[in-house]
Amino acid sequence: MIAARFARLSAVCALLLGAAFAGAAPASATGTAGSCPEGGGVTVVVDFGDLGPQPLVRCAPGTPANGIAALQEAGIDVAGSQKYGLAVACRIDGKPGPDVESCAGMPSATAYWSYWHASAGGTWESSQEGAQTSKPAAGGFEGWAFARPKSANDLPTPPKVAPVRQAATAAPDVSQAGDITFPWGFVIGGVVILLLAGAGVFVASRRRRRGQ
């Protein structure tokens, strides 16, 4: 009877321990906010222009295979046209909406995403090839700017965000930071170990009493 109870207790403790560590699993490493550190990936800048939101700056780790992959690996949604797929970037981070562009075929000549490249600290240059074939430079910057020229002959303007790495920020003060996650997984794991040890002591004590 005691052995059965101990087995059930052990099973419950094991489930609690597994759940604790599952809850403490690290988040996906795909894409981080802000520009990449030196030698730490490709920085992607999205300038929404007159669509409203502030420019988006994120880091794609490593060296993405092409410009579309850089967007995706930076954690930015991109949708292509219904006819040409991702060969034509129609929506980035859900913009523009269907009221501006249907994405049925090629984007409108007067409302589209222009695609740019730059080295860190350099100058934005318009890409001479499509984002599905262009290879991002290691440690470089990829830029997207929503263009709404008055005519098809007007040249688009580059992203307003300069291709410059952001200064490193200091480590957060643990004593004051209110958004640091408490390590519940380790606490629960410690409680489980103590429960298992206590159960073992209890069973051993009962056995000694019966043997007397």
Side-chain angles (χ1 to χ4, degrees):
M1 186 68 173
I2 295 175
R5 289 179 179 175
F6 178 67
R8 285 196 296 270
L9 179 61
S10 297
V12 172
C13 290
L15 288 173
L16 287 173
L17 184 61
F21 284 104
S28 172
T30 301
T32 54
S35 59
C36 299
E38 185 174 358
V42 173
T43 301
V44 180
V45 176
V46 179
D47 185 342
F48 296 97
D50 63 1
L51 293 175
Q54 292 295 315
L56 186 61
V57 181
R58 291 187 63 83
C59 174
T63 306
N66 53 51
I68 295 296
L71 276 168
Q72 295 170 330
E73 293 172 21
I76 303 171
D77 291 333
V78 55
S81 72
Q82 297 171 22
K83 186 174 182 179
Y84 297 99
L86 288 174
V88 176
C90 184
R91 301 195 207 287
I92 297 179
D93 203 36
K95 298 174 180 61
D99 57 320
V100 176
E101 176 57 60
S102 68
C103 294
M106 293 292 288
S108 167
T110 56
Y112 60 90
W113 286 103
S114 60
Y115 178 43
W116 305 78
H117 309 294
S119 58
T123 303
W124 288 116
E125 296 181 1
S126 181
S127 178
Q128 300 304 303
E129 57 182 310
Q132 270 199 320
T133 58
S134 177
K135 176 71 174 178
F141 281 66
E142 293 275 292
W144 294 84
F146 188 70
R148 208 193 289 258
K150 295 180 179 179
S151 73
N153 295 322
D154 292 340
L155 296 176
T157 57
K160 299 183 185 68
V161 177
V164 178
R165 299 189 193 284
Q166 297 174 352
T169 56
D173 185 351
V174 177
S175 64
Q176 298 180 1
D179 57 350
I180 297 176
T181 303
F182 189 78
W184 287 109
F186 293 102
V187 173
I188 295 175
V191 171
V192 169
I193 293 172
L194 290 176
L195 286 174
L196 287 173
V201 171
F202 174 75
V203 171
S205 175
R206 291 295 296 269
R207 286 178 177 175
R208 284 197 299 272
R209 291 178 183 177
R210 286 189 175 188
Q212 289 177 355

